[in-house]
Amino acid sequence: MIIKKDKEIIKSYFEDNSGILNGDADEVYIPENMKECTRIITELYKKNIPITFSGSGTGMTGGRIPFKGAVLSSERLNKITLEQNKEKVLLKVEAGATLEDIKSACSKSGVFFPVNPTEETATIGASTSNNSSGSWTYKYGSFRNNILEIDFVTRNGVTLKITKNSHRFSGDSIFLKELSDKPLVRPMYTMPMVKNAAGYYSKKDMSLLDLIIGSEGTLGFISSITLKVLPMPKKVIECIVFFAFEKDAIQFVNKTRALRNTQNTLDPRALEFFNVNALKFLSEHHSSIPDNAKAGVVFEHELNDLSKEDEILESLLKLAEDCHAFLDNIWMADTPKRLEELRLFRHSLPSIVNEKFKRKEFYKLSTDSAVPDECLSDILDYYNYEIKKSGLTSIIFGHIGNNHFHVNLLAKKNEQEKAKDLYKKFMEKAVSLGGTISAEHGIGKLKKKYLPILYGQKGLNEMKRVKLYFDPKNLFNSGNLLDL
Amino acid sequence: MKIIVCIKQVPNTTDVRINPETNTLIREGVESIINPFDMYAIEEAIRLKERLQETVEIQTLVITMGPPQAESALREALSMGIDEAVLVSDRAFAGSDTWATSYTLTEAIKTLGDYLVILFGKQASDGDTAQVGPGVAAHLDIPQITFVRKIEKMEKDCIVAERLMEYGYDVISSPLPAVITVVKEINEPRLPSLRGKMRAKKAEIKKITSDDINVEKKLLGLDGSPTIVKKIFSPPKKEPGRIFQEHELEDGLDFIVKTIREQNII
């Protein structure tokens, strides 16, 4: 075990992408194997020392930022085992392995892990704790949908091996004899039926696995994870379709989704969106964006049967035509080099915004809400209307397939309060439409004050009850999700 | 009238590895791409057509000399918006150096009819010679403007272009037809379009072999190549530089003086 105490050295553990600056802790523990890891968790817990579990600091909401006590970093727990038998491939990784690590391990075996958060240096443990997702979530769901088993270290040093079926709630409760002689009762709220990363998962007869995934380290430590992997597709096609009107882009997405429910060949893995201002920002670096484009949709499709390629391209072109897209200007990539070019293009937007943000041109707030499919048009109309009314600069982009947008409100110094009000209003609107306040970034420390919008005070009290069942002293990732 | 673009298929350079025993390129698993500099030539051809099509009828044509698999590079160019593609391919061309390549390409180009300009990327990312473009101009005995960063004016029989120089640029006017080699400052190549891809998949690619062109067989391929490659090797790894901090100033100066002396520079 490596133990670091020098503040100058450990201060890097007090940061992530949330912008929270007042993190602090006395020491950082870096276990080098599971035995050390379990031991230190138990010891610290006995001594009443708060423990903040730390990944690589790519989080957006301050989940890994400590305020006191100790940090437990998973950086040395990064073993990856890929077992291949005739039937399937099993990918078991320790918490500190990163997305990059598993990508390279998988590619050697011709498989891939179908969740693709943008930050590839993120650790699998942290991404599991956060129920992270990415553009492919449209087809494959989030981390929660792609985890087969976890090892979960509890406060008393017991490691529970949890699969979908090993620990199931009976109705609303479950007995976990390792932790208490009383049953654990789930929060009784109804979760929004959308892509969601806000608060504890809760459903009748649910699996304990689903509760632990997305609990942001507040219940214990996820030390290792077995992931679902799939055979690598033979080919991937990615297109960017441009439109003269935003409503045409919405129609394109709605029609594509409607086709998915029929026997049609079109079944994209990602549908992403850029609004007019996002395209304007991108135009500063990419002159080939059509001048009069008011919206762009990224369409990504896997091909396992190459003989279907023509059919897919023709269906896509027909769909684009029906929705009045710029037909001669649909960008297409289908080779590794071109796909990489498009990936860089898409990811350049947040960097362009962050660069301006860093140069202090403005203060930035980024929403993370998703709403149900039928509200796609309503929520965009609402955002556009309110933004126009406020006079704030903004860009809207994100995972339109999941009705999940990142509205970036870019406020000048004197506009900050206005931006904060609007930010909250957007969350309230999303929830009123049956959506969530966070679809992928999680709640952490940054967004917990908004959690009552979603679950009410009663829901929060029920979450507290769950928290205290696992962690009666409130030592694990204290300050995430809840104030106790 | 045609605008011709000559392209080359090359290994994606970020992946290039050399087998230390045989000193040859490891090609397995390495993606083949259009030489990045040629992408600018393709884009410029499409833009010139867009610029000129109101006054002259223009057909853009892409041509490459290479093995049969170079067809994928031609289809990529078609998917960006080039009208026609020609593959110059024959076992007899194998092993051509830049002289034999320019000679063969020239004879192939002579069969294609009238053209206004022949565009090249300034050089290929694998060989880095920058010789084939000028070679073709010499064989055809037409003018050439190399390292072009902007085509200011182009009419039926004359072109004015800016040639990038180390400090600034030259403005050069030339009669047409001419050979132009372009640098990356000239434009931003577009991505292929969906329609272009669909068209390119079905397009017919004209094939030219040694029998289709008027060449002396002994001037083709390895036999016709005056260049002899003696050895290919990976350059030795450079030692990283040393950085001395402010408090190490004395040590740093001593080190510099000592090194200069050792190397007999002074």
Side-chain angles (χ1 to χ4, degrees), chain A residues 42-68:
Chain A
T42 329
E43 272 178 29
L44 292 170
Y45 207 89
K46 270 185 198 147
K47 290 186 201 156
N48 299 325
I49 295 173
I51 312 166
T52 302
F53 304 119
S54 180
S56 52
T58 57
M60 308 291 286
T61 60
R64 81 146 187 180
I65 295 180
F67 292 126
K68 57 182 175 184

Side-chain angles (χ1 to χ4, degrees), chain B residues 109-134:
Chain B
I109 287 167
K110 282 182 185 168
T111 69
L112 300 175
D114 290 341
Y115 51 86
L116 275 179
V117 280
I118 306 172
L119 293 159
F120 288 81
K122 69 164 178 158
Q123 68 198 56
S125 61
D126 55 353
D128 273 336
T129 66
Q131 289 171 355
V132 174

Side-chain angles (χ1 to χ4, degrees), chain B residues 157-203:
Chain B
D157 48 9
C158 144
I159 186 168
V160 180
E162 291 178 9
R163 174 170 65 184
L164 185 68
M165 303 299 286
E166 203 168 347
Y167 303 100
Y169 61 93
D170 296 338
V171 179
I172 297 175
S173 153
S174 160
L176 288 178
V179 163
I180 306 290
T181 78
V182 301
V183 293
K184 66 178 177 12
E185 287 75 6
I186 195 164
N187 57 42
E188 183 192 320
R190 69 194 67 192
L191 276 155
S193 71
L194 173 59
R195 271 192 166 160
K197 276 276 177 197
M198 291 167 77
R199 197 174 55 85
K201 280 180 79 160
K202 293 179 189 133

Side-chain angles (χ1 to χ4, degrees), chain B residues 1-4 58-59 61 106 108-119 136-137 139-142 154 156 176-179:
Chain B
M1 231 10 153
K2 285 193 165 69
I3 292 175
I4 295 174
I58 300 275
Q59 280 285 102
L61 181 149
T106 300
I109 287 167
K110 282 182 185 168
T111 69
L112 300 175
D114 290 341
Y115 51 86
L116 275 179
V117 280
I118 306 172
L119 293 159
V136 167
H139 283 293
L140 285 168
D141 197 21
I142 59 174
M154 180 147 136
K156 243 160 93 179
L176 288 178
V179 163

Side-chain angles (χ1 to χ4, degrees), chain B residues 29-41:
Chain B
V30 179
E31 188 189 7
S32 290
I33 58 165
I34 296 177
N35 169 37
F37 292 111
D38 297 346
M39 299 298 277
Y40 302 95

